[in-house]
Amino acid sequence: MGLPAFDKFMTPILRVLSNGQTLRRQQIIDRVADITRLTEQQRAEKLTSGDPVYRNRIGWGLSYLTSIKGVERPSRGHYRITSLGRELLTKYPEGLNDDIISKMPGYPESRSGRKNYARTKMWEPTTHKPQDTELSPTDQIDQGVNRINNALE
């Protein structure tokens, strides 16, 4: 069974923080992995960098929640839920997803398509579709590296 996409971890992150405690990033990741009942096989999946995929995806979920102000960082590496985070947990008990948060202020421009890529292109224009929102940025890079490696074989 594959791992959930990064956005599927956002509601469990808010649930872990819902008691109002300030937790370290690693504590949040460990608790989210436990409450989502990730299997040992899922926890063993690695990126090409060797990092566990689940830690990366939960980390991206936390980053996106921070960018939309659903979670705040009172100090480096420490997080706590905000009133918006509590509101999101109440409004979307069945789960948040990328479509919901992409409409919120603070959503990263690189994922929303609002950035003007015409000014930043380094090569010829591509014909591929916009990023797959099911993948975290690291997952996208990892897949790109794998495609390049496969093309070179």
Side-chain angles (χ1 to χ4, degrees), residues 19-82:
N19 65 5
Q21 281 187 296
T22 298
L23 297 175
R24 289 186 344 265
R25 181 182 182 92
Q26 196 56 55
Q27 292 173 301
I28 295 167
I29 290 171
D30 292 342
R31 290 180 188 184
V32 168
D34 290 342
I35 69 166
T36 56
R37 295 187 176 109
L38 295 182
T39 66
E40 289 304 314
Q41 182 181 4
Q42 289 172 313
R43 292 175 193 230
E45 277 186 53
K46 304 277 190 230
L47 295 165
T48 54
S49 66
D51 295 331
V53 175
Y54 81 96
R55 290 184 183 276
N56 180 273
R57 290 189 184 172
I58 295 170
W60 278 109
L62 186 57
S63 293
Y64 278 82
L65 284 170
T66 303
S67 71
I68 64 164
K69 309 280 191 259
V71 170
E72 63 184 357
R73 284 183 12 182
S75 61
R76 186 172 188 231
H78 292 81
Y79 299 84
R80 72 175 159 231
I81 196 167
T82 64

Side-chain angles (χ1 to χ4, degrees), residues 74-146:
S75 61
R76 186 172 188 231
H78 292 81
Y79 299 84
R80 72 175 159 231
I81 196 167
T82 64
S83 57
L84 174 61
R86 290 182 194 288
E87 184 181 323
L88 290 170
L89 200 50
T90 301
K91 189 172 182 179
Y92 302 101
E94 70 287 345
L96 284 168
N97 61 46
D98 198 51
D99 289 336
I100 294 167
I101 67 161
S102 67
K103 295 169 181 68
M104 302 187 76
Y107 186 79
E109 286 184 0
S110 61
R111 295 222 14 120
S112 67
R114 290 181 280 212
K115 186 173 181 181
N116 182 353
Y117 285 101
R119 291 183 299 150
T120 61
K121 70 179 182 182
M122 295 174 63
W123 309 105
E124 296 176 12
T126 61
T127 57
H128 72 286
K129 294 179 182 176
Q131 299 171 359
D132 182 349
T133 58
E134 291 295 311
L135 300 175
S136 73
T138 305
D139 288 333
Q140 292 174 37
I141 291 168
D142 204 46
Q143 286 188 2
V145 168
N146 286 335

